Amino acid sequence: MCIRDLVNGVKGFNAVGLPVHLANFAVPAGAGALMTAQLPQADAGNQFNDSYNEPSLYSATTAAEYLAGGGGAVAALNPGVAAPGAGPTFVTGALEAASVLNEWSRRTNAAAGWVTATDWVITFPTKNFYVDNDAGNEFAGRNTGRTNNIAAPGLTAATLAPFSQSFVDTAAATPVRRGQSCDSVSYQLYNREEQRSSALGFSPGGTAQLCYEANVLTFNQGAILNSPIAKSINYPENFTFGWLNVRFIGTNAANRGLPAVGFGITSRDDAGSALLSEAGLYDHSIIRPVAPAP
């Protein structure tokens, strides 16, 4: 977790609204004693690493490991990524997933009693360190403060990997600011009896892609989270619950997957009794790539 996720650098409050207490003091050149971890770069003596931009997932220093099969041996990972720095490479290796799986429920007949809906959230925690190349922007994943920005002619397939498309690339011959960075997925929906949906749809747009660091999927327009960027997986069958497998199939992700985490949240609403209205949240399961990329 990055400090900036827990601290409001402008107002000095943490995520639960309490005043900030951080044992992190520094004296920038030409300034008095300041608690710099809650200050922007300009107010932290123009020292990027003393500002609220760090520490982040870029700061990881331990190589990724995971419990392998066949006796639970610990295997070191080298995800084979042309990485912007060691930190995101390590975290990407630890989180790489070929696909994510979880359950869903969608019951819409209120006259029969309670109704249900499910939203999924799939996030790529290290994505910005690969796809956001903007040298002078302290909030970009790749910038001069981290010394990981890519100079002209800009990002390539090798420096984007395991992702496939740049989000911002100001070093390109024609600067890119597309506002999204899309990776293709495939998916299969099942009900609890292992019956597959035969005519799945992905809307809006029709093309199955996840285009943000934090992505929301809903089922037959359930929309619990009311996300403006939600994609709906639509199915014609009268399925009311089951599970879904989402696979990462982008060109650069084909052999190593993507660094993905997330959860599914399901709500049940009963108009007849508030005591029967509730929600539950479950972390996604993942399937790792068959073998880490060399």
Side-chain angles (χ1 to χ4, degrees):
M1 176 68 71
C2 173
I3 284 181
R4 74 171 177 230
D5 295 328
L6 299 178
V7 175
N8 184 314
V10 176
K11 298 186 180 297
F13 296 103
N14 65 13
V16 295
L18 297 175
V20 173
H21 299 279
L22 293 175
N24 185 356
F25 296 86
V27 182
L34 296 173
M35 189 161 60
T36 60
Q38 59 174 316
L39 295 176
Q41 181 177 346
D43 294 334
N46 206 34
Q47 299 298 308
F48 184 86
N49 290 331
D50 290 338
S51 72
Y52 56 27
N53 293 292
E54 294 293 344
S56 70
L57 295 180
Y58 191 85
S59 308
T61 58
T62 304
E65 296 182 339
Y66 74 103
L67 294 178
V74 176
L77 283 177
N78 175 4
V81 178
T89 302
F90 296 155
V91 179
T92 294
L95 298 180
E96 63 182 5
S99 61
V100 297
L101 306 91
N102 211 333
E103 296 182 334
W104 61 271
S105 178
R106 186 75 175 110
R107 175 172 165 162
T108 59
N109 185 4
W114 38 267
V115 298
T116 62
T118 296
D119 278 4
W120 278 24
V121 175
I122 299 176
T123 69
F124 305 119
T126 58
K127 184 172 185 175
N128 65 318
F129 300 120
Y130 297 90
V131 305
D132 188 10
N133 186 42
D134 192 356
N137 183 350
E138 68 173 300
F139 302 110
R142 292 179 179 270
N143 60 37
T144 54
R146 292 192 177 95
T147 67
N148 65 336
N149 58 293
I150 301 296
L155 297 171
T156 64
T159 51
L160 281 167
F163 298 97
S164 299
Q165 186 181 60
S166 61
F167 176 75
V168 170
D169 188 2
T170 57
T174 301
V176 173
R177 295 186 183 276
R178 59 170 51 93
Q180 59 182 16
S181 166
C182 297
D183 288 275
S184 297
V185 299
S186 64
Y187 54 97
Q188 184 59 62
L189 181 139
Y190 301 82
N191 69 3
R192 291 291 291 272
E193 285 70 45
E194 300 294 327
Q195 295 175 310
R196 295 188 181 192
S197 176
S198 59
L200 284 171
F202 196 89
S203 69
T207 302
Q209 295 180 318
L210 300 180
C211 296
Y212 301 95
E213 283 186 314
N215 304 272
V216 177
L217 297 178
T218 192
F219 296 80
N220 273 3
Q221 312 296 330
I224 297 174
L225 300 176
N226 292 319
S227 169
I229 62 167
K231 299 287 187 177
S232 182
I233 294 178
N234 302 322
Y235 51 92
E237 295 88 355
N238 188 28
F239 293 167
T240 54
F241 35 69
W243 62 280
L244 178 75
N245 183 359
V246 174
R247 303 176 185 88
F248 304 124
I249 60 171
T251 301
N252 286 338
N255 295 323
R256 62 173 67 104
L258 293 176
V261 296
F263 60 87
I265 180 170
T266 295
S267 68
R268 182 179 73 176
D269 295 296
D270 190 326
S273 173
L275 294 177
L276 296 179
S277 296
E278 55 190 1
L281 184 150
Y282 304 93
D283 290 339
H284 295 320
S285 297
I286 69 166
I287 297 176
R288 294 191 65 88
V290 174

